[in-house]
Amino acid sequence: MRLHAPAPGWSIDADVVVVGSGVAGLTVALRCDAAGLRTVVVTKTGLGDGSTRWAQGGIASAHGEGDTPQQHLDDTLVAGAGLCDENAVRALVTEGPDAVRRLIATGARFDTSPEGGLHLAREGGHHRRRVVHAGGDATGAEVSRALVDAVRSAALRTIEGALVLDLLTDTGGRAAGVTLHVMGEGEHDGVGAVRAPAVVLATGGMGQVFSATTNPSLSTGDGVALALRAGAEVSDLEFVQFHPTVLFLGSGSEGRQPLVSEAVRGEGAHLVDATGTRFMLGQHELAELAPRDIVAKAVTRQIQLHGTEHMYLDARHFGREMWQTRFPTILAVCRSHGIDPVKEPIPVFPAAHHAAGGVRTDLHGRTTVPGLYACGEVACNGVHGANRLASNSLLEGLVFAERTARHITATSHNRPEPEIIGGVTLPLQAPGSRLPIQRIMTQGAGVVRSSSSLAEAAARLESLRADADAETPDDRKPAVPGVESWEATNLLCVARALVAAAQSREETRGCHWREDHDDRKDAAWQRHLTVTMRPDRSLAVRTTATAQYPPTLPPLLREQ
């Protein structure tokens, strides 16, 4: 299956094409380039404009005195609520410290303590201070800067302002490159192709499937949608983490919302109601520093209990100097919206933040389509389980990008002959359907879900799909190929898969909260859900036999 788009009018050849320019995409590109592979980076906006730059908190890894990878592993497993792949987590925590050191060697400058070592912060779910950060609360911006500078210095070939459309495959079903549309003028323009025997998806998240999210507007689930159309498995899409402390901008606010980093709670801020009463005490041993799913549920319950639209984060006791030195970005954002955290509590509410699920991969980044890899937020390798531990996302991008690059560089990828034209062409969603999709998902598949809310969401999404399939009446123009219609079509694809998985998982686990099934049911549900798209575009939802993922590829292909 492929999006309705013009045939490619130009093409270039490479050994590896990396789609995305966040921490995962640029890391795998730099490693492949250093190994002598012709590497092309394709990114939807500018190199430094992806989701990575918005990360405030930091990168978790065991650098502190007395801390160990085993302790980091234990905290990650607890947050993942029984669905983490322990081998994946062990790779993350043991390889993480060296990956951070290599990032520093690449040029990233992290905050240091008065003694000259890395300054380590603490965030939710962590029992120790182990989060390195930069600029107080601008870690993502510094990581992005360092990697972009390295890519520029290495003179990697990049195609910016390009929306990737679909995977090219050969007659045997192996990845053979991608089609893409370059938005604007430059060396390439319009729809073209990058032919390569290794394709790496590092497209980030899908937060724009909801009305309110911390993700930038470009996070429309393009990588997951591409993978589904290509026949790949996606897994655990029902586990969408809602960050509990997002700045409340007023009733009906939609789109990207400012994040108030978990590090603020790590430094001692309190969650309170309108009377100033702390409500996390007694709910978890870590109170405000409980794993995010627990805090997000508590905030939501308080909102429902009080009939309000938000709760408050109180950090007035920090004082002006601490706000200005430790959290200058958050302070500036709050003040730009008329809120002074030095003098008043910050209104906060939960909003979509991170996808724990995604395109299913093994520990080398391989998907169920030979030659197609994925790493970073777009991937599901079992690290996060049912709920991501704070500040494990940038670390995952680093560690598994390096693992993906090592496998690509150690593997012989014969150059396939791609089939550019062929397959089922999907009708496009009109650009105006983006907002209805977001509202349907927020209402039916947001923080709190139920059988009835999910059924209604599924029916309304199916109606949008049917409208696009139907013959277009004379008084309505059909959707035409273009960035907005392609993005809306990707959002609908991802939304349908997410709702199908959420309907199937009849329990509450991690960041999947079913109010009609409010217990965790390990006997039946300590296992994963995978989703694939059939040729008729219906969705097949399958349950793994155990909590362990099956291999992504058959034995013969795993040897290649």
Side-chain angles (χ1 to χ4, degrees):
M1 280 170 281
R2 60 187 177 88
L3 291 172
H4 178 48
W10 54 269
S11 68
I12 59 176
D13 291 329
D15 297 318
V16 184
V17 56
V18 179
V19 186
S21 62
V23 61
L26 295 188
T27 298
V28 72
L30 285 166
R31 300 294 181 269
C32 288
D33 176 73
L37 299 180
R38 292 179 301 163
T39 304
V40 175
V41 176
V42 176
T43 184
K44 198 170 178 180
T45 54
L47 276 184
D49 293 333
S51 294
T52 292
R53 65 175 292 200
W54 298 105
Q56 293 175 343
I59 306 176
S61 59
H63 291 280
E65 183 178 354
D67 197 5
T68 64
Q70 181 63 44
Q71 293 177 64
H72 189 183
L73 180 144
D74 292 341
D75 286 344
T76 301
L77 294 181
V78 169
L83 279 187
C84 294
D85 181 320
E86 187 166 339
N87 290 328
V89 178
R90 195 169 297 282
L92 179 83
V93 300
T94 56
E95 298 172 22
D98 283 342
V100 172
R101 293 184 189 102
R102 283 188 288 272
L103 181 60
I104 293 172
T106 301
R109 297 185 291 266
F110 293 106
D111 297 338
T112 57
S113 66
E115 295 76 28
L118 291 171
H119 185 275
L120 301 177
R122 185 180 172 196
E123 296 186 8
H126 294 274
H127 283 79
R128 286 187 176 272
R129 286 182 170 268
R130 62 167 65 102
V131 180
V132 301
H133 52 88
D137 57 359
T139 307
E142 173 58 17
V143 170
S144 181
R145 180 208 61 77
L147 291 172
V148 169
D149 285 354
V151 166
R152 300 290 193 205
S153 296
L156 260 80
R157 186 165 190 175
T158 61
I159 303 176
E160 299 180 64
L163 172 64
V164 167
L165 302 176
D166 283 301
L167 185 71
L168 295 174
T169 56
D170 66 11
T171 54
R174 298 186 66 92
V178 293
T179 57
L180 63 157
H181 173 75
V182 180
M183 301 170 274
E185 298 178 359
E187 182 181 354
H188 304 291
D189 196 12
V191 174
V194 179
R195 292 188 172 92
V199 177
V200 182
L201 297 179
T203 53
M206 53 187 186
Q208 287 292 325
V209 79
F210 294 97
S211 296
T213 177
T214 62
N215 293 189
S217 62
L218 57 85
S219 297
T220 49
D222 306 323
V224 171
L226 176 152
L228 280 167
R229 290 193 297 272
E233 287 185 8
V234 302
S235 185
D236 297 354
L237 288 189
E238 67 271 30
F239 298 118
V240 177
Q241 186 178 83
F242 285 76
H243 199 289
T245 55
V246 175
L247 183 62
F248 180 74
L249 298 181
S251 180
S253 59
E254 295 178 318
R256 194 184 78 82
Q257 312 287 301
L259 178 66
V260 181
S261 171
E262 196 152 298
V264 178
R265 281 177 282 136
E267 297 294 347
H270 302 146
L271 281 164
V272 299
D273 60 22
T275 69
T277 302
R278 291 177 67 183
F279 54 82
M280 285 304 301
L281 295 175
Q283 297 207 33
H284 190 275
E285 61 169 335
L286 296 177
E288 280 89 356
L289 287 178
R292 286 180 180 171
D293 63 311
I294 293 172
V295 181
K297 290 171 186 175
V299 172
T300 301
R301 287 192 187 100
Q302 291 296 314
I303 289 172
Q304 294 172 335
L305 178 65
H306 292 274
T308 61
E309 294 180 295
H310 61 82
M311 287 288 112
Y312 294 93
L313 187 65
D314 192 352
R316 289 174 291 180
H317 53 284
F318 284 6
R320 186 179 307 277
E321 182 177 353
M322 181 174 175
W323 269 110
Q324 291 175 338
T325 57
R326 181 68 177 88
F327 302 110
T329 306
I330 298 171
L331 177 63
V333 169
C334 287
R335 285 178 170 171
S336 72
H337 291 284
I339 301 158
D340 188 350
V342 177
K343 300 178 180 178
E344 59 187 320
I346 306 168
V348 294
F349 77 119
H353 182 57
H354 187 275
V359 184
R360 189 166 81 83
T361 73
D362 64 11
L363 302 192
H364 304 290
R366 293 178 293 186
T367 73
T368 54
V369 174
L372 178 65
Y373 297 79
C375 55
E377 189 174 352
V378 70
C380 181
N381 52 35
V383 159
H384 303 308
N387 181 51
R388 175 175 68 90
L389 181 66
S391 285
N392 268 357
S393 54
L394 291 179
L395 186 69
E396 180 201 12
L398 283 173
V399 169
F400 286 91
E402 292 188 340
R403 285 180 147 259
T404 298
R406 285 199 296 270
H407 188 272
I408 292 172
T409 57
T411 305
S412 175
H413 290 276
N414 296 322
R415 185 164 301 281
E417 288 296 326
E419 289 184 315
I420 294 178
I421 305 299
V424 177
T425 301
L426 299 184
L428 297 178
Q429 288 294 309
S433 64
R434 177 170 178 150
L435 188 57
I437 292 169
Q438 293 171 330
R439 290 176 175 171
I440 289 168
M441 292 299 290
T442 295
Q443 292 165 9
V447 180
V448 184
R449 303 163 178 175
S450 67
S451 176
S452 59
S453 76
L454 290 165
E456 182 177 356
R460 293 172 67 189
L461 293 172
E462 185 61 27
S463 178
L464 287 175
R465 185 173 81 93
D467 285 347
D469 289 355
E471 292 292 330
T472 304
D474 293 337
D475 60 349
R476 191 180 65 184
K477 294 182 179 180
V480 297
V483 173
E484 292 182 341
S485 56
W486 288 322
E487 286 185 331
T489 305
N490 285 340
L491 282 173
L492 181 65
C493 177
V494 171
R496 291 180 61 233
L498 192 161
V499 168
Q503 285 181 295
S504 297
R505 184 173 290 279
E506 295 183 334
E507 66 161 354
T508 290
R509 181 187 297 270
C511 49
H512 172 64
W513 183 8
R514 286 283 298 262
E515 60 181 354
D516 54 336
H517 296 282
D518 58 1
D519 295 322
R520 174 171 153 177
K521 303 171 184 176
D522 282 353
W525 288 110
Q526 194 168 3
R527 55 199 68 195
H528 303 275
L529 295 175
T530 64
V531 181
T532 54
M533 186 181 290
R534 300 187 182 99
D536 64 358
R537 285 179 290 156
S538 63
L539 298 170
V541 182
R542 299 180 179 88
T543 307
T544 61
T546 68
Q548 299 302 309
Y549 287 109
T552 56
L553 296 171
L556 286 177
L557 288 175
R558 291 204 299 275
E559 298 297 323
Q560 301 177 19

